[in-house]
Amino acid sequence: ALQRINFDFDRSHDKLWNQRHEEFQVFVDATGSVNVPQDYSSNLQLGQWTMNQRTKYRQRRNGVSNGLTDARIRELEKRGFAWNIHEFRWKA
């Protein structure tokens, strides 16, 4: 059905990623932390998104191609994104 109306799945995915990335930046600015809890009650989608970014990062390191591009990795790393939450907690 969506194909019939020429729905652009890639653009929709990009828009959502950019939205969550902006929400992540707001979270970091507001809390001073890059660790968004998975069950973050103020924005459950953001908590899930950060968990998904970590999963995609691990997949990429294992050779699995996915939507997490080098450019997105750089954008997240600019804000200090914690790819390994266990290491992050240990260092904190």
Side-chain angles (χ1 to χ4, degrees):
L2 292 175
Q3 289 86 358
R4 282 185 282 180
I5 62 169
N6 294 321
F7 184 79
D8 189 341
F9 289 96
D10 290 332
R11 182 169 293 149
S12 177
H13 182 73
D14 289 343
K15 183 178 177 181
L16 180 59
W17 193 93
N18 290 332
Q19 177 184 339
R20 295 288 180 255
H21 181 249
E22 288 177 24
E23 293 170 0
F24 172 70
Q25 292 180 70
V26 169
F27 176 88
V28 172
D29 290 342
T31 66
S33 174
V34 296
N35 181 19
V36 180
Q38 182 178 343
D39 58 352
Y40 181 49
S41 61
S42 296
N43 187 338
L44 289 173
Q45 293 87 359
L46 180 60
Q48 289 294 310
W49 180 82
T50 55
M51 182 188 69
N52 289 339
Q53 299 314 296
R54 291 182 183 110
T55 299
K56 288 180 179 188
Y57 184 77
R58 283 191 305 274
Q59 289 173 338
R60 277 200 47 166
R61 292 186 68 195
N62 291 323
V64 177
S65 179
N66 57 42
L68 186 62
T69 64
D70 290 340
R72 288 178 175 175
I73 290 170
R74 284 191 300 275
E75 283 299 310
L76 290 168
E77 288 178 342
K78 283 181 190 176
R79 297 297 294 201
F81 191 84
W83 295 112
N84 185 322
I85 198 61
H86 301 293
E87 284 182 15
F88 172 80
R89 287 182 183 151
W90 185 79
K91 292 178 183 177

